[in-house]
Amino acid sequence: MLQACLAGERTREEVIATLSDGGLRGLGGAGFPTGRKWSLVRAEPGPRLLAVNGDEGEPGTFKDRYYLEREPHRFLEGMLIAAWAIEAERAFLYMRDEYPAVLKILKAELAKLDAAGLAKHTKVELRRGAGAYICGEESAMIESIEGKRGYPRHRPPYVAQVGIFGRPTLVNNVETLFWVPTILSRGAEWFAGQGKNGAKGLRSYSVSGRVKNPGVVLTAAGATARELIELAGGMLDGHHFKGYLPGGASGGILPAYMADIPLDFGRLEKYGCFVGSHAVVILSHRDDIKAVALNLMQFFEDESCGQCTPCRNGTEKAVKLMQSGNWDADLHADLGQVMGDASICGLGQAAPNPVRCLFRYFPEDLR
């Protein structure tokens, strides 16, 4: 498909329209419509840039690594099509440094692209992250690419307008770009028709926890946790399904009796959760949800960049309350409200989700 685009067999407008009609969305967590994002960036004055977010740091997420290790060519083709579509002058591939095997693969494949002359329209640079969870947030990633400390930016302006080095920047996740060549070759109608329960397309769910066959489950967008457990071989012997994390560490915790909710963007927010990067962690009756919530909050405390007080001090305060055995519902609710309202980025805003879900759905674990 890349060669067809470069040869003029498809226009940029046709490519973007196909992705929009197919319902492809950002699969790094936010779920923003891909075609619309490409159009917004392309409408900005050049030179324009592309940034690929490969900093897969959300606990429970490993789908990007799976595809980069097995089918790097399809992803790289999607990346170069994106760069061509928005007429990007440069493309920055920002990769998680904890994936040394992936970095080795990408270095070799990028060298082959250069040798074949397939990347003449865009200069591609591979950038290594330094292991900071916060750099999975697009503006913090951009700060890191620029050589600065990975602090999230205040918005507006958005990165589509003022991104890397002040230039309009398209930011896409690895899996989002992975699907681009397939959608263009098989058609928007085919991809959109793969979903279920009102969702469009395919999804790569990272399924882990108390299941027999943890791994990446490729299935219809809008699948449920109950279906994913079956696709992952069922629960481990001797374990009874108790609850699940629908969207990794920051996506909240839901009980087993809510396992038939379609896992797609916009479907979980009314329950105090979100699907994010589709990292589904299955919990059993042997898991203490209080311990799970504490573990997650300790992670957020460690990974807070420290830029804003609500997140920096809020996560520390929450951990101390939990460790001391203080489970005062009103106190935790007030703390979570301040963190959600006043934190600069999604880390501090979403950090209270597991605790909120603990009080809302697992009161028996608090007794």
Side-chain angles (χ1 to χ4, degrees):
M1 289 311 304
L2 173 63
Q3 291 178 321
C5 292
L6 296 177
E9 296 176 19
R10 296 220 183 177
T11 66
R12 292 175 171 86
E13 291 77 12
E14 287 173 342
V15 166
I16 293 173
T18 299
L19 298 180
S20 295
D21 293 343
L24 181 63
R25 304 182 69 167
L27 300 175
F32 195 86
T34 300
R36 184 181 171 197
K37 180 184 279 191
W38 289 23
S39 295
L40 289 172
V41 176
R42 191 161 180 266
E44 296 291 327
R48 291 174 286 274
L49 305 174
L50 168 67
V52 181
N53 193 338
D55 194 71
E56 192 173 40
E58 184 69 33
T61 310
F62 40 84
K63 60 184 178 60
D64 292 348
R65 181 183 67 182
Y66 178 87
Y67 289 121
L68 289 171
E69 289 179 343
R70 288 161 177 80
E71 294 187 73
H73 303 95
R74 199 196 305 191
F75 153 69
L76 290 171
E77 184 179 11
M79 178 188 71
L80 292 174
I81 291 172
W84 167 82
I86 67 164
E87 298 179 87
E89 184 179 83
R90 297 165 71 187
F92 296 88
L93 177 47
Y94 189 83
M95 281 304 305
R96 180 173 172 80
D97 200 45
E98 289 86 346
Y99 289 171
V102 170
L103 287 166
K104 184 177 179 180
I105 291 170
L106 288 174
K107 286 178 182 177
E109 296 304 325
L110 287 173
K112 292 178 183 177
L113 284 178
D114 287 336
L118 293 174
K120 286 183 178 180
H121 62 289
T122 303
K123 181 182 178 182
V124 181
E125 299 182 29
L126 179 61
R127 296 292 181 92
R128 292 164 53 189
Y133 171 75
I134 195 63
C135 288
E137 195 276 338
E138 62 178 8
S139 64
M141 176 192 68
I142 285 173
E143 291 286 295
S144 179
I145 289 174
E146 293 179 350
K148 295 178 284 188
R149 186 166 183 169
Y151 278 158
R153 296 177 179 178
H154 291 276
R155 286 170 284 188
Y158 297 95
V159 299
Q161 303 161 313
V162 182
I164 302 173
F165 305 124
R167 302 311 311 164
T169 302
L170 171 65
V171 177
N172 272 145
N173 169 258
V174 167
E175 191 196 355
T176 304
L177 297 176
F178 176 85
W179 287 115
V180 168
T182 303
I183 296 171
L184 295 180
S185 62
R186 303 193 67 169
E189 186 176 350
W190 170 82
F191 186 75
Q194 301 302 307
K196 63 191 302 183
N197 295 319
K200 292 183 178 181
L202 293 165
R203 291 288 187 276
S204 303
Y205 295 90
S206 303
V207 183
S208 61
R210 309 295 194 172
V211 292
K212 291 180 179 178
N213 301 311
V216 175
V217 175
L218 176 61
T219 188
T224 67
R226 198 178 308 278
E227 291 169 335
L228 293 176
I229 291 172
E230 293 177 5
L231 292 170
M235 297 293 294
L236 286 172
D237 293 338
H239 289 260
H240 305 295
F241 183 31
K242 179 177 181 178
Y244 64 105
L245 280 62
S250 55
I253 313 172
L254 291 173
Y257 65 81
M258 297 175 69
D260 296 311
I261 302 170
L263 299 181
D264 194 39
F265 301 109
R267 305 296 289 269
L268 298 170
E269 282 72 8
K270 63 183 177 182
Y271 305 111
C273 299
F274 56 81
V275 73
S277 58
H278 295 76
V280 181
V281 183
I282 305 301
L283 307 173
S284 80
H285 72 291
R286 300 188 186 185
D287 294 306
D288 180 352
I289 307 300
K290 281 199 304 183
V292 172
L294 173 59
N295 180 271
L296 296 175
M297 190 60 76
Q298 287 174 321
F299 171 80
F300 293 129
E301 180 188 18
D302 289 341
E303 293 295 341
S304 173
C305 72
Q307 181 181 13
C308 67
T309 302
C311 176
R312 181 183 66 246
N313 290 0
T315 52
E316 180 184 10
K317 179 66 174 178
V319 167
K320 287 182 177 178
L321 287 172
M322 297 160 80
Q323 288 177 329
S324 68
N326 187 337
W327 294 95
D328 183 281
D330 292 336
L331 182 57
H332 279 280
D334 289 345
L335 180 60
Q337 184 73 39
V338 172
M339 292 173 65
D341 290 345
S343 295
I344 292 174
C345 80
L347 192 158
Q349 294 164 10
N353 285 345
V355 179
R356 291 194 187 108
C357 290
L358 169 64
F359 282 101
R360 185 174 179 180
Y361 300 118
F362 300 93
E364 68 279 2
D365 281 67
L366 290 167
R367 298 192 187 102

